[in-house]
Amino acid sequence: MMGVDEPDYGHLLDGMRLSEDSPVDARRYCYPRVEIEVAFLLGADLPGRDCTEQDVLDATEAFAPSIELIDSRIEDWRITLGDTIADNASSAGFVVGASRVRPKALDSRGIAAVLYRGDEPVAEGRSDAVLGNPVTAVAWLARTVAGFGVRLRAGHLIMPGACARAVDARPGDSFRAEFSGLGSVRLAFSSGEGSC
């Protein structure tokens, strides 16, 4: 879509964490969309430049179901790579479901995911849509940010990329994501109109 040969990335900040139990105020966002992702909860620090996929699996305490809320200040998402980098990889929020599954209990490449708006399925995919394996994406991220003196540490939450296409989020929408072997996560939006 963007004509690039590597991923981009942004930061998940504490203030971006959303709750399954509280609707998101739709007025806070310009053009919100949601994506389904397999989140990685780190139980140990990752190495930097030499990080391997095995290092990621060894350091990951659990996988968890998640939804990322992305947004853009660019009208109708007519963005370039530079726009998304400047906009924190379009990341605006995230919610993580309660389920936790150890990496040894699940093949990270074969997690099927379906996103529902209400009762209607609106997007579906598999975890291997993320560079063939989301573990590969986390290892890439660890190596990439090491070049800037940053380490991925125990306690960090890593969202490696979307399993399926992004879906527009409208005021009043209620989403549920179901992941095979991993459980589910929900995200709802209030009925107020956006403010951008």
Side-chain angles (χ1 to χ4, degrees), residues 123-137:
E124 59 184 280
R126 279 179 25 138
S127 54
D128 59 0
V130 183
L131 299 182
N133 186 345
V135 173
T136 303

Side-chain angles (χ1 to χ4, degrees), residues 52-193:
T52 67
E53 292 181 15
Q54 190 59 54
D55 291 329
V56 172
L57 290 171
D58 291 344
T60 298
E61 179 178 312
F63 298 140
S66 70
I67 295 174
E68 183 175 12
L69 169 58
I70 61 173
D71 195 14
S72 177
R73 294 175 181 86
I74 308 297
E75 188 173 3
D76 297 326
W77 282 91
R78 293 191 301 266
I79 58 177
T80 65
L81 179 63
D83 296 323
T84 187
I85 290 171
D87 208 13
N88 193 37
S90 302
S91 187
F94 64 96
V95 60
V96 181
S99 177
R100 302 289 183 266
V101 177
R102 292 218 171 264
K104 290 182 179 177
L106 201 57
D107 179 358
S108 61
R109 297 164 298 184
I111 302 169
V114 181
L115 178 68
Y116 296 87
R117 178 188 281 128
D119 293 325
E120 177 189 358
V122 290
E124 59 184 280
R126 279 179 25 138
S127 54
D128 59 0
V130 183
L131 299 182
N133 186 345
V135 173
T136 303
V138 176
W140 174 89
L141 180 63
R143 293 190 301 268
T144 300
V145 299
F148 301 101
V150 175
R151 291 279 300 280
L152 303 181
R153 303 282 186 188
H156 283 173
L157 172 77
I158 312 297
M159 297 178 69
C163 298
R165 69 178 184 86
V167 173
D168 291 341
R170 307 169 305 212
D173 277 347
S174 180
F175 292 98
R176 182 181 86 258
E178 298 278 351
F179 296 80
S180 62
L182 192 56
S184 64
V185 59
R186 294 173 290 117
L187 182 63
F189 288 80
S190 65
S191 57
E193 294 297 326

